[in-house]
Amino acid sequence: MTAITTPPTQINYPSSDGEPVAETYDHFYVLLCTLEVLRQYLKGQQATVLGNQFLYYAQGFPKLRVAPDVMVIFDVEPGGRDNYKLWEEGQVPRVIFEMTSRGTKDQDVGFKKGLYEQLEVQEYWLFDPKGEWLEGQLQGYRLQGETYVPISDRRSHALQLRLEIEDKLIAFYREDTGEKLLLPDELAANLQTETQRRLEAEQQAEQESQRAEQESQRAEQERQRAEQERQRADDLATMLERYQSQFGELPE
């Protein structure tokens, strides 16, 4: 008799739980801005930035998951994912951001902080856009050995960025140049300004070209007039020579 084997049960790792992405508009907006700013910053590198997506950290146990607001993972294929499985990707997020509130603070500084510490996430940042409970609105932790220690200078060694607060958003500045990473609105405004400058430069160049063409035409007209004057002078000289050869020198 041929044995009948039952294939192993396929484990489902959901990509959504039906819960809201963020608690408030402010939390949602800073999540999106942080996600996009860091995505643009890391473009072209072997890295990805994910927002509010499940991070599964135990193979075979789909309930063991967490959904960081923003996580940055290096040494992986760029691009989005429906979810992130540590055992498949082979890389732990290097930096995680949580947009915290009074309602989530216990989990953010309790379970999540402890979990990220165990997973060896190098940096963990908490940002309180409404200023509800976190003094200074922004607090970072850096892994030292096996324990998180507070970051006092708001510098991310992992990202090589300096973090500042601008109203209800996080502003990022490059450590090497001091240049600010533009937020989506600022990027759009900057693009509009650059486009206007380009159009004005093109119009000015066109005007300069037209002026140069007009100058060239005037120069050509002057050259032609000079040539005509020279030709008339040559013609008069020729006529004079003929006269002199026939009648002699002109009387004084």
Side-chain angles (χ1 to χ4, degrees):
M1 178 182 293
T2 303
I4 299 176
T5 57
T6 304
T9 304
Q10 183 71 29
I11 298 177
N12 181 38
Y13 296 91
S15 298
S16 173
D17 58 3
E19 295 294 324
V21 173
E23 187 172 310
T24 68
Y25 173 82
D26 290 334
H27 290 81
F28 180 63
Y29 187 61
V30 69
L31 185 161
L32 290 181
C33 288
T34 301
L35 177 70
E36 182 60 19
V37 166
L38 295 179
R39 190 185 70 82
Q40 290 291 337
Y41 172 60
L42 296 171
K43 195 172 184 179
Q45 299 188 39
Q46 284 297 110
T48 190
V49 186
L50 303 178
N52 193 54
Q53 290 172 287
F54 281 142
L55 165 64
Y56 288 99
Y57 51 89
Q59 186 175 9
F61 297 91
K63 290 186 178 181
L64 296 182
R65 67 195 185 198
V66 66
D69 286 331
V70 177
M71 54 181 169
V72 183
I73 310 109
F74 286 87
D75 301 319
V76 295
E77 192 68 24
R81 282 103 163 126
D82 291 336
N83 52 50
Y84 190 85
K85 304 181 184 72
L86 286 183
W87 60 92
E88 289 185 357
E89 304 275 358
Q91 295 293 335
V92 173
R94 197 171 297 180
V95 184
I96 285 180
F97 293 85
E98 294 289 357
M99 311 313 169
T100 188
S101 68
R102 193 182 302 277
T104 64
K105 68 174 184 176
D106 291 339
Q107 186 180 38
D108 294 335
V109 299
F111 168 73
K112 287 186 176 181
K113 183 169 178 268
L115 174 64
Y116 300 154
E117 198 172 53
Q118 291 176 27
L119 293 177
E120 299 183 350
V121 176
Q122 288 186 19
E123 290 180 359
Y124 175 41
W125 292 88
L126 290 167
F127 181 62
D128 181 6
K130 287 182 172 293
E132 293 179 323
W133 74 274
L134 186 60
E135 184 177 355
Q137 287 187 267
L138 179 68
Q139 176 62 64
Y141 297 92
R142 184 176 295 119
L143 197 65
Q144 192 173 89
E146 298 180 351
T147 307
Y148 275 142
V149 295
I151 298 174
S152 59
D153 57 5
R154 291 187 175 176
R155 281 177 160 79
S156 170
H157 292 175
L159 296 174
Q160 298 182 13
L161 295 173
R162 175 171 54 85
L163 281 61
E164 296 294 344
I165 301 167
E166 290 189 359
D167 193 16
K168 297 180 179 180
L169 297 174
I170 305 173
F172 296 89
Y173 294 82
R174 296 178 63 106
E175 288 276 84
D176 54 354
T177 64
E179 177 187 6
K180 180 185 176 183
L181 304 185
L182 297 181
L183 296 167
D185 288 347
E186 294 170 331
L187 191 62
N190 188 65
L191 178 61
Q192 184 177 7
T193 300
E194 289 300 321
T195 300
Q196 183 63 31
R197 286 176 180 171
R198 179 178 58 81
L199 291 174
E200 290 174 355
E202 289 176 352
Q203 291 173 353
Q204 184 176 358
E206 178 63 24
Q207 292 171 355
E208 292 294 335
S209 176
Q210 291 175 355
R211 280 196 292 268
E213 179 64 24
Q214 292 169 355
E215 290 295 331
S216 177
Q217 291 174 355
R218 281 195 291 269
E220 178 61 21
Q221 291 170 355
E222 290 296 328
R223 187 194 67 78
Q224 290 176 357
R225 280 196 293 269
E227 179 64 23
Q228 290 169 356
E229 291 295 332
R230 186 190 65 79
Q231 187 63 45
R232 281 196 294 269
D234 289 346
D235 291 344
L236 287 173
T238 301
M239 291 173 61
L240 179 60
E241 288 177 0
R242 289 175 181 174
Y243 180 90
Q244 289 174 339
S245 65
Q246 292 180 10
F247 303 104
E249 294 292 330
L250 291 173
E252 293 293 333

